Amino acid sequence: MRCVRNPFYAAQRVFRPSRPDRVEDPTIGRLQLWRSVLGIAAWLWLTITYGLISDTSDAGSALSDRFSQSWTSVLVLICTFPVVLGVFVAAARQPLRRLYLRRALRPLASIGALLGAMATFPLAMAPDPVTRGFRDLIGLPGKFLLFLACAWSVGFALYGLGLSLIHVLRTADIHELVPPSLAIVLSWELALLDVITGAYAGVPLLARVVFMMGAPITVTALSLWEIRRLRERHGLTLRQALHP
């Protein structure tokens, strides 16, 4: 019932790792949070310094772009996740393969929950004939319930987007080494996507290169530090993860 009343609490339950025997390192947790905070701060500095935000309308547009970038990041992460998981499982020996596949059910469920929450927006507001016909069919009581579901989904999805990026789709439930490995792959994929799409076109070339390349380099360095800390402080190594 608390999940029904509070979408933010529900998002915490769905998008935060919860495996009982998972290694929880407070320093790594703070690092994951600050990695996301610093990324947002760098984006704000870039948009304000180079005049991408000059009035209220520009601020709204910039926030919309930032939400779109976050959603794109999650979509790329969702596409990358099965590839990295497949490589990780294929390299592991039995019985670890079955164990990791069973543990992957929770991250997969979080993906389904996020996509389902995002699907309520077009269902409630899209102007196309199919969704309009559905809203007409359910009548006024149904529209009211649909509005409540959409409002709940807004908080759930927005908070879930942030938690998905911080906790890398709660893949620590599979193994503690999966999130930093996945973060490295994701950061370089997004940098390549920015290069292909010509992101931040209004920013000078040097600043744009520093910003676009600085993000994956920073994420790679922090992720490698996380892998090293897991090895030195908690004895978690790739060899141990793949061979029982």
Side-chain angles (χ1 to χ4, degrees):
M1 289 303 297
R2 186 178 177 186
C3 289
V4 174
R5 293 194 305 266
N6 188 342
F8 302 108
Y9 176 76
Q12 291 178 9
R13 295 292 301 271
V14 171
F15 298 106
R16 282 183 173 172
S18 60
R19 178 165 54 90
D21 59 342
R22 178 176 59 91
V23 170
E24 294 190 60
D25 190 316
T27 301
I28 291 178
R30 289 192 293 269
L31 172 70
Q32 292 171 339
L33 176 61
W34 278 105
R35 181 173 58 199
S36 301
V37 171
L38 290 175
I40 294 174
W43 172 80
L44 284 174
W45 172 82
L46 188 76
T47 54
I48 293 173
T49 300
Y50 292 101
L52 300 182
I53 296 179
S54 57
D55 55 31
T56 305
S57 61
D58 288 341
S61 177
L63 289 175
S64 176
D65 289 344
R66 183 59 189 173
F67 173 78
S68 298
Q69 288 174 343
S70 298
W71 179 234
T72 300
S73 300
V74 170
L75 290 178
V76 174
L77 179 57
I78 290 172
C79 295
T80 305
F81 166 63
V83 177
V84 174
L85 175 63
V87 172
F88 190 78
V89 170
R93 292 181 179 177
Q94 293 292 8
L96 290 177
R97 288 181 182 176
R98 288 192 297 270
L99 175 64
Y100 293 150
L101 287 174
R102 188 167 62 250
R103 288 178 176 178
L105 293 178
R106 288 182 176 179
L108 289 173
S110 72
I111 293 174
L114 184 60
L115 294 178
M118 296 297 292
T120 61
F121 302 131
L123 190 61
M125 295 178 289
D128 61 275
V130 175
T131 53
R132 276 207 312 266
F134 171 76
R135 291 193 294 269
D136 292 338
L137 179 64
I138 60 178
L140 184 59
K143 289 179 181 179
F144 178 71
L145 292 176
L146 185 60
F147 170 77
L148 291 179
C150 186
W152 187 93
S153 297
V154 168
F156 179 83
L158 291 179
Y159 195 29
L161 281 174
L163 291 176
S164 295
L165 294 176
I166 292 173
H167 298 290
V168 198
L169 284 180
R170 70 178 294 177
T171 46
D173 275 343
I174 302 172
H175 192 278
E176 289 81 357
L177 291 176
V178 176
S181 304
L182 192 53
I184 292 173
V185 177
L186 175 66
S187 64
W188 287 103
E189 284 180 333
L190 291 175
L192 179 61
L193 187 62
D194 284 343
V195 172
I196 293 174
T197 59
Y200 310 107
V203 178
L205 178 61
L206 180 59
R208 188 162 71 246
V209 170
V210 170
F211 183 78
M212 291 168 55
M213 293 296 103
I217 291 172
T218 302
V219 170
T220 300
L222 293 176
S223 298
L224 291 176
W225 177 88
E226 181 179 342
I227 292 172
R228 179 181 177 183
R229 184 177 178 87
L230 289 171
R231 182 183 70 246
E232 294 180 349
R233 294 292 183 94
H234 306 286
L236 296 175
T237 64
L238 185 61
R239 179 181 294 275
Q240 178 198 54
L242 299 178
H243 303 285

